[in-house]
Amino acid sequence: MGVFRIVVPLVTVLLICCSKQHSAVLYSSGFALLGYGATNWLIPRVGNSFIKIGLFGKDMSKPGRPVIPESVGAVSATVYLLIMLLCIPFMFYKYMVTTTSGGGHRDISILEPSEVPASFFPHDKLSEYLSSILCLESTILLGIADDLFDLRWRHKFFLPAVGAIPLLIVYYVDFGATHVLVPGFMQNWLKISTIDLGWLYYFYMVSMTIFCPNSINILAGINGLEVGQSIVLSILALINDGLYLTLGHSTTWENHRFSAILVLPFLWVSLALYNWNCWPAKVFVGDTYCYFAGMVFAVVGILGHFSKTMLMLFLPQILNFLYSVPQLFGLVPCPRHRLPRFNEKDGLLYPSRANLQETPAKAFFLPILKILHYFKLIELEFHEGRVVSCTNMTLINLVLVWLGPMREDKLCQAILQLQFAVGILAIVARHAMGKVLFGHDNLWTIE
Ligand code: UD1
Ligand code: MG
């Protein structure tokens, strides 16, 4: 979608304006552009080195299945980390210089007492920022290990949660809120306005750090989709940030600036990757990128204090996961690859199928498969009255079941458009629902 090359700069400029030209957002945007240039320059130059060390994959949906570099998303991820580190002195310089006298006297202000900010150096902001980088670093390591050794599902599934520990500690110390609001119509009945979920809230946040990376990795298999969905999610997150930074209460600005500072460089390094991964792909992004991307959204949702809104933006990924559950949990056989089947004759993609003759589905699940087939949610193949195969349960295959065979780039566009439309509806619903359910929405009023 060439449209990204117009929309991404537009969103960046709008966000800079929305953030009232806040210096941190400006630095972040400047470094994001640098990251775009570096990533776009590096990818074609390092591709062959990836192939030399065995990091390559076959593009299953092209004639002759050409071999192209795999895990190239590691370049975007590395450039992102370097940018985030380079940004630190620029973002925090003013606190180190203008509010202290220098010469080692960090505690003596050269400002008038009335001008002295509440804290000389915002250690809390730096710790939030560093814990995010630490969490992303461990996630990238996990992704690289997965790309190199093809880790087993049960081994890699819980590892993102370990990487999230620094994040949760910072959340606990800095914010610590584990309360959720009770909907207005239930408040009179229950005689309470909030419920303290306690440790369950931490369980919820850990689940998010596991879900987001894995959910992007399983909505994959066609050129441009992994990175395309991440770009759409970033644009949606920035639109939400822009809304808060313009219409929102000033107490919400810090959180949404923090979100913008993390998402903007991610968006630009992803755009550079998309240039090389869009149809016809010259590189694959690899699991490193999928985990990294998912974790960026989990971190931003948690530390930006809008994890529930973030999950609403993940609705297509949530549906894809729920739809995949029968295959992920072994009720229906799950082949190593569930990406659509490429037909060399017409160059179109068709839904791929799981063979139920070799490995039958669990007997109790057969009637459910037939119901899903009846409602056109899957396509079953029958032979002499017996079910012999069913379409793989992914959103990608479902679009093909509904809309018929499609060319790979058109299919990717259809899913990205769906992601964008659902995301915009989710943002509207989030703010409309906030008003209906709780009597106010924190876009206008802070609880
Ligand atoms: C996940 C999916 C798997 C899907 C795969 C595609 C689940 C449980 N797993 O597995 O069904 O097939 O992603 O990425 O849903 N490839 C292409 N074209 C693309 C992208 C990938 O042909 O546009 C192929 C290439 O051969 C590439 C391979 O997929 O080498 C990458 O697969 P990998 O990311 O290792 O699969 P998983 O993430 O384990
Ligand atoms: Mg993958």
Side-chain angles (χ1 to χ4, degrees), residues 57-58 60 70 217-218 221-223 284 287 336-338:
K58 283 184 185 161
M60 317 267 226
E70 176 81 81
N217 191 29
I218 64 168
I222 54 175
N223 291 179
F284 285 137
D287 291 345
R336 166 69 183 88
H337 280 290
R338 301 192 296 163

Side-chain angles (χ1 to χ4, degrees), residues 96-379:
M96 294 184 271
V97 177
T98 55
T99 64
T100 59
S101 59
H105 303 292
R106 291 281 179 240
D107 53 339
I108 301 169
S109 173
I110 57 168
L111 298 177
E112 293 300 316
S114 60
E115 294 170 338
V116 176
S119 84
F120 279 89
F121 183 86
H123 289 96
D124 53 339
K125 291 284 147 238
L126 184 62
S127 63
E128 279 189 7
Y129 191 88
L130 292 180
S131 71
S132 311
I133 295 180
L134 196 56
C135 179
L136 291 171
E137 266 175 1
S138 8
T139 310
I140 293 168
L141 268 183
L142 166 68
I144 291 176
D146 193 17
D147 279 332
L148 287 175
F149 305 111
D150 214 0
L151 299 179
R152 303 292 293 271
W153 200 67
R154 59 175 175 275
H155 294 149
K156 66 186 179 190
F157 190 73
F158 295 104
L159 287 180
V162 181
I165 290 174
L167 199 74
L168 298 182
I169 295 292
V170 168
Y171 182 89
Y172 178 76
V173 173
D174 273 5
F175 196 66
T178 51
H179 293 80
V180 286
L181 278 177
V182 174
F185 65 92
M186 287 170 75
Q187 283 180 13
N188 283 342
W189 181 51
L190 290 173
K191 306 262 181 291
I192 44 170
S193 57
T194 59
I195 297 179
D196 187 5
L197 292 183
W199 64 268
L200 275 179
Y201 199 84
Y202 286 88
F203 177 74
Y204 154 72
M205 288 189 286
V206 166
S207 312
M208 195 163 164
T209 62
I210 294 175
F211 176 76
C212 293
N214 283 297
S215 70
I216 291 187
N217 191 29
I218 64 168
L219 186 54
I222 54 175
N223 291 179
L225 187 58
E226 290 109 316
V227 59
Q229 66 186 293
S230 308
I231 292 178
V232 173
L233 284 166
S234 308
I235 292 173
L236 291 167
L238 289 174
I239 290 176
N240 188 50
D241 291 335
L243 278 175
Y244 277 98
L245 289 168
T246 43
L247 303 171
H249 195 280
S250 58
T251 42
T252 61
W253 289 354
E254 277 297 326
N255 293 338
H256 289 278
R257 269 190 208 125
F258 177 79
S259 161
I261 287 164
L262 259 73
V263 174
L264 276 170
F266 171 75
L267 177 58
W268 280 91
V269 294
S270 300
L271 185 65
L273 180 61
Y274 183 80
N275 289 342
W276 301 96
N277 179 243
C278 62
W279 185 89
K282 287 156 204 84
V283 301
F284 285 137
V285 301
D287 291 345
T288 311
Y289 179 80
C290 299
Y291 293 144
F292 158 63
M295 196 54 106
V296 168
F297 297 115
V299 164
V300 160
I302 292 171
L303 288 186
H305 310 303
F306 61 98
S307 58
K308 280 149 275 171
T309 310
M310 187 58 91
L311 279 183
M312 288 177 82
L313 302 183
F314 266 73
L315 205 61
Q317 283 75 10
I318 293 174
L319 292 177
N320 184 53
F321 170 74
L322 293 176
Y323 186 48
S324 298
V325 160
Q327 287 197 298
L328 296 180
F329 292 95
L331 305 177
V332 175
C334 183
R336 166 69 183 88
H337 280 290
R338 301 192 296 163
L339 47 82
R341 182 176 60 80
F342 176 63
N343 183 350
E344 288 216 5
K345 287 192 188 112
D346 57 11
L348 299 180
L349 295 182
Y350 290 76
S352 60
R353 292 176 167 276
N355 189 334
L356 302 189
Q357 254 176 334
E358 277 174 12
T359 330
K362 294 271 180 271
F364 77 91
F365 203 71
L366 264 177
I368 300 176
L369 282 183
K370 287 181 182 161
I371 296 172
L372 291 174
H373 172 73
Y374 178 80
F375 287 107
K376 252 194 158 284
L377 289 169
I378 54 169
E379 227 172 54

